[in-house]
């Protein structure tokens, strides 16, 4: 079972699914759905369409250069069947998928950490500029007690009269 990649969005195209377009020069294009096929016919650039894998990689939102991706490349070299080789290959595929997921998660955490650091810096600069708006807890408690005391004295004076 050969799993192809969509020419436009790079998602997986399973056998019996999607559309195959063959140009006059015999170049074939596989598309996962009509959305990708229509975008291709409209001559849209996948790197400029926000929902594609090409955009995410070009914008730095996904990991692009990693040694794990070398294993996913298509190899058209026939190999004689060997049961042990296949067993080792399947084990390696599982291990590679696990490594890839771990590295992608780390990449995303690092990206989010940078944004969080920027947000903290922005908040700190705002606080430094507007420090006069902040009050200490003790000052707030004293103000609240003063209000309560004022109400009680006001009530006491009104009951005495």
């Amino acid at each position: 079972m050969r799993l192809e990649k969509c020419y436009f969005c790079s998602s997986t195209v399973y056998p019996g699914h999607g559309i195959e377009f063959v140009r006059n020069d015999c170049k074939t294009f596989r598309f996962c759905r009509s959305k990708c096929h229509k975008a291709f016919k409209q001559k849209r650039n996948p790197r400029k369409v926000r929902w594609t894998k090409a955009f995410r990689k070009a914008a730095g939102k996904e990991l692009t250069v990693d040694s794990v991706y070398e294993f996913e490349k298509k190899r058209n070299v026939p190999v004689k069947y060997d049961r042990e080789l296949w067993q080792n290959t399947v084990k390696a595929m599982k291990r590679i998928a696990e490594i890839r997921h771990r590295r992608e998660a780390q990449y995303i955490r690092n990206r989010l950490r940078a944004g969080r650091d920027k947000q903290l810096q922005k908040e700190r600069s705002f606080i430094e500029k507007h420090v006069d708006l902040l009050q200490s807890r003790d000052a707030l408690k004293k103000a609240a007690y003063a209000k309560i005391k004022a109400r009680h004295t006001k009530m006491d004076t009104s009951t005495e009269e």
Side-chain angles (χ1 to χ4, degrees):
M1 180 170 84
R2 175 168 284 190
L3 302 179
E4 304 281 341
K5 292 285 182 188
C6 176
Y7 180 79
F8 195 78
C9 72
S10 302
S11 65
T12 308
V13 182
Y14 291 93
H17 292 261
I19 302 162
E20 187 167 16
F21 172 68
V22 183
R23 209 164 48 190
N24 286 342
D25 62 352
C26 291
K27 175 138 173 59
T28 60
F29 302 94
R30 297 281 307 215
F31 302 105
C32 58
R33 52 185 176 255
S34 60
K35 179 181 182 180
C36 297
H37 188 216
K38 288 175 187 174
F40 175 79
K41 287 194 292 188
Q42 292 172 354
K43 299 185 177 180
R44 294 233 170 100
N45 187 351
R47 285 171 295 187
K48 293 184 180 177
V49 180
R50 294 184 67 92
W51 51 268
T52 63
K53 196 89 158 169
F55 174 85
R56 294 187 61 78
K57 286 185 177 182
K61 295 189 176 291
E62 282 189 9
L63 193 61
T64 54
V65 180
D66 196 19
S67 58
V68 174
Y69 293 117
E70 294 296 318
F71 293 108
E72 286 187 7
K73 287 188 177 175
K74 195 169 162 183
R75 293 173 188 84
N76 290 324
V77 179
V79 178
K80 189 174 181 184
Y81 177 77
D82 181 17
R83 184 176 187 149
E84 190 175 326
L85 175 70
W86 276 100
Q87 288 174 345
N88 292 340
T89 304
V90 169
K91 285 180 189 174
M93 286 169 59
K94 289 178 182 175
R95 180 81 175 115
I96 288 167
E98 178 186 312
I99 292 168
R100 192 183 81 227
H101 288 303
R102 198 171 344 117
R103 287 183 182 175
E104 286 174 352
Q106 183 63 37
Y107 181 77
I108 290 169
R109 278 195 296 270
N110 291 342
R111 262 188 47 239
L112 293 176
R113 186 180 302 129
R116 194 168 51 238
D117 291 344
K118 282 183 185 177
Q119 183 67 23
L120 282 172
Q121 186 63 31
K122 191 186 289 186
E123 289 172 358
R124 284 186 186 122
S125 64
F126 180 80
I127 289 171
E128 288 171 4
K129 287 178 186 174
H130 305 288
V131 75
D132 56 317
L133 297 176
L134 296 175
Q135 291 181 346
S136 68
R137 280 193 171 167
D138 294 334
L140 290 173
K141 285 181 181 177
K142 287 179 184 176
Y145 286 135
K147 282 184 183 178
I148 292 170
K149 208 178 254 189
R151 278 192 206 143
H152 285 297
T153 56
K154 190 176 187 181
M155 292 173 87
D156 288 340
T157 56
S158 65
T159 54
E160 290 176 1
E161 293 172 359

